């Protein structure tokens, strides 16, 4: 039996519909989506809205970052009060690196597509992970390039059939989770846009995490990759989703004491005091074992299995801003006195060149 | 072996007057041989004798063993631009000795390693042969160090022959090896040996000599990249991202060094800046754009290949109106080209970097002080205009040692541009990100994490309305592009103005920019003295150009645009800016990788003048 | 509900003469609603009535649900360029109906979905209201298909009102759904229903009508990307690498389709080509360069953002002299811009793509046949000149349906340029990769795997000698750059010559290029008829320009350069090519994302003419 | 006991110094190196010369490809008779993809650096591996950017000290071998420039292999990264090299029958009939087990171990040109009749647009 005690001082909201900041769900919404009706990305958008709402993150503190693609457009569809940047194709990871260092207090969420991340943006994605840039990095993975009309992306499974039924993908898919683990990522999850509960829970845990949290979310493109033979269709995902565990999350500010059966539930304590619980389903999976995670993903890729859940967790690594030992205040708004050395310093330097 | 001095009689001039404080000294070695220290010691000693001095280091694109030439020019009147006519050659490299000697003008002095004696076939040179290998054995036991120490011996020899004060040589050695007393001692001994050996074995020469004067008091010797780095430091830079590339790496490395030293919070020791060595230039500019968007004063440094890679994000910065600064230390292209040779070949490319219609602000320092000032100015303008600014230096400025007045502490406070805070937005302030409120084309922005419900907006590279919403509407697109053009026009009078020297009644104007300045000024003097051609001079310091440039061209029937590229890039820009004046623009072009020199300019101008325009 | 016809009396013209075979029909829908098939059926039916016809599809940068407009222009005399003055509107989209109606000129005809009746507030239009939702129920049981099928109903209604022959509508439906007989039936029924309902309920109109003629015999209707793809196919392309981007994707996709179909070895079924969907544009151009170096005829297709990313390799291709072809299907920039809108905004950028001094050959097709021809020509020139060639099309050409004569089979054999085989090299043939043997600046090359000990050479983007050895020598660098400039000069008379129409005694010339051609030709007619301004016309088809362009400008005191960008990019290029002629060049600029139309050109020219130059 | 029988028809050279083609070593050499004396890259160059000489590859059939860096320069220093292309920084993998498809008969060897591959070229490297482009891809890994004067590269080990002794690398290194395995590579080796025998043997095996063969060769930069505290110095590599096995190679054309003790030697048969033998040393390592290979590399990275040898082998995957089912002859030189469809075809196509 493990007992989880969390932060004893909750901020209980008055309005039953409001969160701990007194904000209502609507304040976490954004512009109306222009995606195709039924697109998996819209489901993820809803989950994001709810997760941030439920976690009580101040919208103004959020930075929404994206590249280009249907997925990348979605940053416009949630948290309209937050600043967003829809940058260029494939470079969001690097843009986010700059933004998050410029302002440490930002809660960064990056939304990317499988094309944006695994093709044109692959190198930046990997280097971002390696640096442990503090960001929730969501890959809305539909195995294709939605916005350019359905070409296979690098995450399309081997044997996946293209719309029209004539072309079969021969290439090995790139597994962004496996690569993230390889680059030292401490928070790696795979999930399915339609499994809204799991998505939301993972997002909440990712909000509590500081460092790069990679969420590879299978998110069907209902227009171009939702047919028979696609391994990223709604039907395929629904039928094949195989959760590694049932995930629960208790934020640090919630005063609850829960008892878990340590035989069936693993409890992950996060540095900020929040807790992730992983309750056993069919598998006996340990999210702390990097090699096991890689083996699982390898198997999944070979046998076209669709495991979901928290693939790997390790809270030990310092995020980039801490590695760099930045001042507490945002660099962006430091006053002149702190960013321009003195007249005397200049004189001293000038002398060294005489 | 007979250690003697070859004294080949001068054929010319019959009446030799000794040149005082007017010297071009070229030292031919191999890179990675440690000759760089010896050369700097020589230069520094001359500098401390009060004589204006500059150097050009011509090094190969490898790390060790290939030919390198270091040219020191000392001139009491300050004519220390590139000059190819060498007075004194120190020949240490067998690989190049034949050519090095062949290139000399009659009467030149040669100090040559004895082992290379066989290369001396001309009789019109004054040759001093020095047994460096033998001498070095006397001071240096460690055989691995001998090659390096031999170089310091030529410092002593040159000091003797050219009348460089040994006290200053010693001081320079002490400075150079400040943190390595053992090396200082070894090198001091070697220099002294060179001097005394020369005194004993060599005749004095009276072709050219140096003597103490007072023209460098208070001055500094510094490289452009160092100056640019300091400019960024004092310009309040908070974010730097870069990817190594010659000749820009030392900009970022020097900046990192000073940031580490002077920009840690005194109380906490924490950093008030972030530097990221990026995975490539695409990432470097993307990080700068991300940081600039979030409100940092952000800069990256690169060279041609990196600028090419930054093209897409450059257009994003322009169109989404995100501040960003790129320092482009130009090297010789196209392609990888000559990474260790200088050029002004990126001007036109940088000006319109990226696809689609876009033009960028370019700052073009013409000297080392401007490297310092314009780096700060670039950060300032990027934020004020919410756009990309490129600081265009080049390898010549950036990696050579230049004489300069010390830099002034910035005389104005940091300007952060039109940024609205939560207070500015007020109770229910409406805020339209891309509205031209002030009629100057420059809109207002907010920074992420501004605690106000109306502060947030969505930045995008796609078509947008005044309030940053998505639109494909033809009229809104058109109007927004026009506003951007207006903003660019606003910049015309906000960027550094050209420096103009008008000569009354002359028909000839010269326009130049960047590192060509010294050579152009010397060329003007030569044109006047040799060819009786007086010329007005306009030095461009930025793009876009303003009316002063127009008026200058309009005021001169013939205008030469001097540039260090093949395709007359600046001339093309001026021709399309002022089509009605296009016919009067002629080009002086130099593109062999060496810094431009006065003679090149003079000869091209003389060639291009019609008979009516110039006296023979 | 009362299904009636609103007949608003025409205020103008009193005497209405029916326009025959001169129609602009605009259809407003939402994308992803299947309206595209309906629109194509209409267009095809008109085409098969023998009437010249074109269409412009204005679609949003998303996949489903946003406004889309499809404009068909039919004109017996072949004036089928962009025209904004609409005769007939089919209004199906609630989101845009108000604006769509407001934009109409008095007297226009409107066919409107009954559900949108409320948007009809003007009284100067002829409005036909159709109960589409009710009608569709009669033919289509599957509710999910109804939205799509409703579109076919308007085809029938329009056929009735505009006198489009129903036989041709039926034929077009059969063609459109050739592989889906069920859909063909359903759509056929729907069209018939629309027609018969209209016949029963609507009055005939006599504003504009179509009638069979014989002007399209043997012609084809095709998109530019299809034509370009076929050009590459018949140009012997062997390697394609690409990364998806609107509006170029369909070039590569169509090419892949035809390669798969027609370029498999008949005996073995093996491919005589390779297509790689690359990980990004950097890789796409790198693969093309690798393939070109190894001897393939290699091509990539992209648009602005991709061109920016290809900049570095473009310079490599130029300088290392490796054949490569980029098809740049221009869309509206800067930045991501308007991906589904057209522009000529990359001209100047492509011309000098990459850092350092370099200029590239640009081929600029002005019509659909030239898309075909120039694609082959681009491959040809890339190999002949051993350099990068850019084929500059745009979204208007590339993704709209154009009427064209069928393409001619190439009348010359494939030229592979100056390639030396082992036999050419002979017994002990010496071979200097970068020597100008023929005086045209174009050197000889060998291909990898040439079985001869002297065949191998080392390709590099760094400074090289004539025999491809590494050098940093200033003179060799300079000479090599000069040779490259000479090679570029050689290209002037080898690229497609401008098409010139000289009008005697006029002072006014017009220069245009690319997709502006139809609009310019129509504008010239309007200028002549309305303003008594006759103009000569030069259509540029390539860069670099040749003496004919010079002579044309020299022959006209006033020359208008018409282009679809803000920064007058081609005018700038011409001004720097011919500075002495620069003052006579004026710009006509259009940059709102729509294809340029004749009226825009006319009004800008009339505005810019001085009072002396034009009759009022 | 395993018996290896190879191709019974050898081409025995007459000149004792010549190889089976009758060529001597000199014919495999190139221009004189301009690298620093003692640079690891020069040692690799020598090994390449010997490996190609010993394998009797016709020099004219070789394509040498590289990016930019000291390492990338070396393609000029071997096989002067072969065509070489020193392209741009980081893009060689993509250039090679195009070249190898343009001409199938080429034997491609790409030389890259750790900067060229793991930083600017990371994405192309991974995608090349994923496509299985037939190439011997050598990473001359010195943990730094040699040509730009010694900055840390992305393969610098955590804790590695920079020249001057002041800066210590904090970042997790990128392991190109692990990433290659992750991308489905069938031939992954790590070795040390100074272990010339192992390098040469691996190169010969790589020549026999068709597909992407990745050789990550630690190759000390004696000028900028050879000091105390560097984990890529000559001394460090010598002291820490820990071979996983003793590697032998028997090319298909050599008529020899060797007997191995199957308890201590594993024999890997290659598709072309050549044989790799892996004889046990201290480790009992199986080069066929992908997960084990990943675990080994993970451990090596964590504990700064320097295992060398054939990390992973799997000869099953078809190289790209085969996947694409290209005609046997080089595309580059197909005659007009095979690359331009007929007049009739054009007519047929034109009709379809009427
Ligand atoms: C440099 C560049 N190349 C290509 C494109 C075209 N493009 C836009 S979105 C996209 C792919 C999007 O795929 P993905 O990231 O998977 O997003 P999805 O639309 O599937 O959600 C591409 C290739 C672009 N915008 N920029
Ligand atoms: C686009 C571009 N950016 C930067 C450079 C500068 N550059 C040349 S070599 C090099 C790094 C080389 O490192 P590595 O690949 O490890 O090779 P090494 O010299 O260490 O063998 C860099 C950054 C360049 N040539 N091109
Ligand atoms: S095209 Fe696909 S990914 Fe894009 S919005 Fe539609 S369903 Fe979603
Ligand atoms: S700098 Fe380093 S990598 Fe480059 S040649 Fe010298 S030792 Fe080798
Ligand atoms: Mg996708
Ligand atoms: Mg390296």
């Amino acid at each position: 039996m493990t007992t989880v005690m969390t932060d004893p001082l909750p901020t209980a909201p008055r309005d039953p519909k409001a969160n701990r900041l007194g904000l209502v769900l609507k304040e976490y919404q954004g512009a109306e989506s222009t995606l195709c009706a039924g697109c998996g990305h819209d489901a993820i958008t809803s989950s994001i809205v709810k997760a941030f709402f439920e976690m009580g993150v101040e919208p103004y503190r959020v930075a929404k970052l994206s590249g280009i693609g249907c997925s990348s457009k979605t940053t416009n569809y949630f948290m309209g009060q937050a600043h967003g940047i829809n940058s260029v194709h494939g470079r969001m990871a690097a843009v986010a690196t700059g933004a998050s260092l410029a302002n440490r207090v930002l809660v960064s969420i990056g939304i990317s597509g499988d094309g944006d991340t695994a093709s044109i943006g692959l190198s930046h994605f990997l280097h971002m992970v390696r640096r442990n840039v503090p960001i929730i990095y969501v890959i809305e993975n539909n195995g294709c390039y939605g916005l350019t009309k359905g070409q296979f992306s690098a995450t399309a499974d081997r044997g996946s059939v293209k719309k029209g039924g004539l072309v079969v993908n021969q290439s090995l898919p790139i597994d962004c989770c496996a690569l993230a683990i390889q680059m030292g990522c401490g928070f790696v999850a795979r999930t399915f846009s339609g499994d809204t509960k799991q998505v939301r829970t993972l997002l909440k845990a990712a909000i509590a995490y500081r460092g790069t949290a990679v969420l590879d979310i299978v998110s069907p493109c209902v227009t171009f990759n939702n047919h028979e033979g696609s391994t990223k269709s709604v039907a395929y995902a629904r039928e094949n989703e195989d959760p590694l565990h049932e995930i629960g999350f208790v934020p640090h500010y919630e005063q609850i004491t829960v008892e878990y059966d340590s035989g069936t539930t693993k409890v992950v304590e996060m540095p900020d005091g929040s807790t992730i619980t992983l309750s056993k389903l069919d598998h006996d999976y340990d999210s702390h074992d990097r090699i096991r995670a890689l083996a699982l993903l390898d198997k999944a890729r070979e046998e076209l299995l669709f495991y979901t859940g928290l693939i790997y967790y390790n809270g030990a690594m310092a995020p980039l801003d801490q590695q760099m030992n930045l001042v507490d205040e945002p660099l962006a708004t430091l006053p002149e006195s702190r960013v321009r050395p003195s007249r005397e310093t200049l004189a001293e330097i000038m002398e060294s060149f005489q | 072996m007979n250690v003697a001095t070859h004294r080949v009689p001068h054929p010319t001039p019959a009446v030799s007057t000794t040149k005082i404080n007017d010297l071009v000294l070229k030292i031919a070695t191999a890179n990675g041989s440690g000759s760089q220290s010896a050369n700097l010691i020589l230069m520094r000693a001359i500098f401390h004798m009060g004589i204006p001095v500059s150097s050009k280091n011509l090094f190969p694109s490898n790390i060790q063993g290939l030919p390198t030439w270091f040219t020191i020019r000392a001139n009491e009147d300050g004519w220390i631009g590139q000059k190819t006519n060498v007075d004194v050659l120190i020949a240490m490299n067998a690989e190049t000795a034949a050519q090095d000697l062949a290139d000399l003008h009659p009467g030149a002095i040669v100090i040559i390693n004895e082992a290379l004696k066989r290369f001396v076939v001309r009789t019109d040179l004054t040759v001093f042969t020095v047994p460096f290998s033998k001498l070095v054995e006397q001071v240096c036991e460690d055989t691995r160090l001998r090659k390096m120490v031999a170089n310091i011996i030529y410092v002593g020899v040159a000091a003797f022959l050219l009348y460089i004060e040994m006290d200053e040589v010693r001081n320079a050695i002490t400075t150079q090896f400040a943190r390595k007393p053992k090396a200082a001692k070894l090198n001091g001994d070697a220099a002294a040996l060179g001097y005394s050996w020369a005194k004993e074995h060599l005749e004095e020469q009276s072709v050219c000599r140096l003597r103490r004067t007072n023209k460098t008091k208070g001055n500094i010797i510094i490289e452009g990249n160092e100056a640019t780095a300091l400019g960024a430091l004092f310009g309040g830079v908070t974010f730097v991202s870069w990817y190594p590339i010659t000749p820009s790496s030392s900009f970022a490395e020097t900046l990192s060094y000073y940031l580490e030293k002077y920009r840690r919070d005194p109380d906490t020791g924490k950093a008030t800046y972030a530097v990221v060595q990026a995975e490539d230039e695409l990432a470097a500019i993307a990080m700068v754009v991300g940081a600039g968007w979030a409100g940092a004063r952000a800069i990256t440094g690169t060279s041609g290949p990196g600028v090419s890679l930054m093209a897409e994000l450059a257009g994003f910065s322009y169109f989404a109106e995100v501040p960003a600064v790129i320092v482009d230390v130009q090297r010789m292209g196209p392609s990888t080209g000559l990474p260790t040779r200088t050029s002004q070949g990126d001007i036109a490319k940088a000006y319109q970097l990226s696809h689609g219609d876009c033009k960028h602000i370019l700052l073009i320092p013409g000297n080392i002080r401007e490297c310092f000032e314009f780096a700060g100015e670039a950060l300032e303008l990027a934020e004020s205009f919410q756009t990309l600014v490129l600081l265009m230096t080049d390898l010549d400025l950036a990696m050579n040692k230049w004489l300069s007045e010390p830099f002034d502490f910035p005389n104005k406070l940091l300007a952060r541009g039109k940024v609205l805070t939560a207070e500015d937005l007020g109770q229910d302030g409406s805020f339209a990100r891309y509205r031209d409120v002030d009629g100057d084309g420059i809109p207002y922005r907010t920074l992420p994490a501004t605690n106000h419900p109306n502060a947030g907006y969505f930045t995008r590279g796609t078509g947008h309305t005044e309030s940053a919403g998505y639109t494909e509407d033809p009229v809104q697109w058109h109007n927004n592009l026009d506003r951007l053009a207006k903003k660019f026009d606003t910049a015309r009078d906000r960027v550094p103005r050209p420096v103009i020297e008008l000569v009354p009644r002359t028909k000839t104007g010269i326009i130049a920019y960047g590192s060509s300045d010294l050579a152009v000024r010397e060329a003007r003097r030569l044109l006047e003295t040799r060819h009786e051609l007086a010329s007005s001079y306009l030095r461009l310091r930025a793009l876009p150009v303003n009316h002063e440039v127009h008026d200058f061209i309009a005021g001169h029937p013939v205008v030469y645009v001097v540039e260090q590229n093949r395709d007359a890039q600046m001339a093309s820009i001026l021709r399309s800016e002022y089509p009605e004046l296009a016919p009067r623009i002629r080009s002086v072009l130099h593109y062999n990788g060496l810094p431009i020199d006065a003679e090149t300019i003079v000869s091209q101008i003389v060639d291009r003048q019609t008979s009516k325009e110039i006296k023979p």
Side-chain angles (χ1 to χ4, degrees), chain A residues 41 68-71 89 113-116 120 142 144-148, chain B residues 312:
Chain A
H41 302 350
I68 300 285
C70 295
S71 33
H89 194 34
D114 41 331
D116 202 59
I120 189 168
N142 52 18
C144 74
Y145 295 170
L147 190 55
T148 55
Chain B
E312 190 190 11

Side-chain angles (χ1 to χ4, degrees), chain A residues 197 201 205 245-250 260 266 275-279:
Chain A
K197 180 152 170 283
T201 310
H245 33 231
E246 163 108 33
I247 305 182
F249 175 77
V250 187
Y260 299 104
K266 294 196 181 96
T275 311
I276 303 170
T277 58
L278 304 170
S279 305

Side-chain angles (χ1 to χ4, degrees), chain A residues 23-351:
Chain A
L23 299 173
V24 293
L25 192 69
K26 206 165 132 37
E27 290 168 280
Y28 287 82
Q29 284 165 348
E32 206 187 316
S33 170
T34 61
L35 303 186
C36 307
C39 176
H41 302 350
D42 278 338
I44 298 173
T45 298
S46 303
S47 295
I48 291 172
V49 167
K50 287 195 194 113
F52 278 80
F53 164 73
E54 289 173 11
M55 287 291 282
V57 180
E58 297 96 326
Y60 82 88
R61 281 218 303 140
V62 174
K64 306 175 297 180
L65 304 111
S66 58
I68 300 285
C70 295
S71 33
S72 294
K73 284 183 180 185
T74 63
T75 43
N76 196 25
Y77 309 147
F78 59 82
M79 283 185 277
Q81 288 180 29
H83 275 71
I85 183 165
N86 190 193
S87 63
V88 305
H89 194 34
R91 316 289 167 214
M92 179 265 280
V95 171
T97 304
S100 74
L101 290 172
N103 192 330
R104 293 184 73 160
V105 313
L106 290 173
V107 178
S108 296
I109 177 165
I111 311 286
S112 183
D114 41 331
D116 202 59
T117 290
S119 289
I120 189 168
L122 186 57
S123 179
H124 308 305
F125 168 65
L126 298 179
H127 282 273
M128 172 198 70
V129 172
R130 177 171 171 255
R131 293 187 179 103
N132 204 21
V133 171
I135 187 173
I136 304 158
Y137 191 97
V138 175
I139 305 165
E140 302 191 341
N141 184 354
N142 52 18
C144 74
Y145 295 170
L147 190 55
T148 55
K149 305 203 163 212
Q151 300 85 0
F152 279 129
S153 78
T155 67
D157 285 312
R158 195 179 259 166
S160 190
V161 177
K162 208 169 163 186
K163 196 172 175 178
L166 293 176
V167 186
V168 178
N169 185 41
Q170 310 280 0
S171 308
L172 196 71
I174 287 182
D175 185 329
C176 293
C177 290
L179 290 179
I181 292 171
Q182 191 61 56
M183 303 311 282
C185 188
F187 188 115
V188 181
R190 171 163 292 146
T191 177
F192 164 47
S193 60
D195 187 349
T196 52
K197 180 152 170 283
Q198 198 191 52
V199 173
R200 199 160 77 242
T201 310
L202 284 167
L203 278 167
K204 285 156 82 171
I207 292 169
Y209 181 77
R210 252 191 83 80
T212 306
V214 172
L215 279 77
D216 182 19
I217 311 186
V218 170
S219 172
C221 171
V222 296
T223 300
F224 296 114
N225 201 9
N226 202 31
H227 45 277
E228 177 95 34
S230 159
T231 59
K232 295 278 191 291
S233 66
V234 176
Y236 190 94
R238 275 205 203 297
E239 272 158 40
N240 291 277
E241 186 189 2
D242 184 356
L244 294 167
H245 33 231
E246 163 108 33
I247 305 182
F249 175 77
V250 187
H252 67 89
Y253 54 80
E254 275 187 14
Q255 192 201 35
I256 44 168
T257 308
V258 198
E259 302 207 334
Y260 299 104
D261 174 351
S262 61
T264 57
T265 297
K266 294 196 181 96
V267 175
V268 180
E269 313 264 2
M270 300 182 74
D272 77 337
S274 301
T275 311
I276 303 170
T277 58
L278 304 170
S279 305
K280 196 165 158 177
L281 296 170
D282 296 347
H283 304 273
D284 188 14
Y285 184 71
D286 177 4
S287 300
H288 286 88
D289 183 337
R290 197 155 59 217
I291 302 306
R292 187 133 170 232
L294 290 174
L296 177 96
L297 293 169
D298 193 76
K299 179 164 179 251
R301 179 160 74 168
E302 287 299 310
E303 302 172 19
L304 291 179
L305 306 174
F306 181 28
Y307 296 123
T308 63
L310 186 61
I311 309 276
Y312 180 67
Y313 180 85
N314 174 352
M317 194 174 157
L320 183 60
D321 53 334
Q322 281 173 29
Q323 291 172 43
M324 288 190 157
N325 195 21
L326 299 190
V327 290
D328 298 341
E329 304 84 349
L331 297 181
T333 46
L334 290 177
E336 171 150 356
S337 59
R338 299 184 68 185
V339 299
R340 175 178 272 169
S342 68
R343 192 177 288 272
E344 292 66 40
T345 301
L346 181 61
E348 174 185 321
I349 295 170
M350 285 298 97
E351 213 169 300

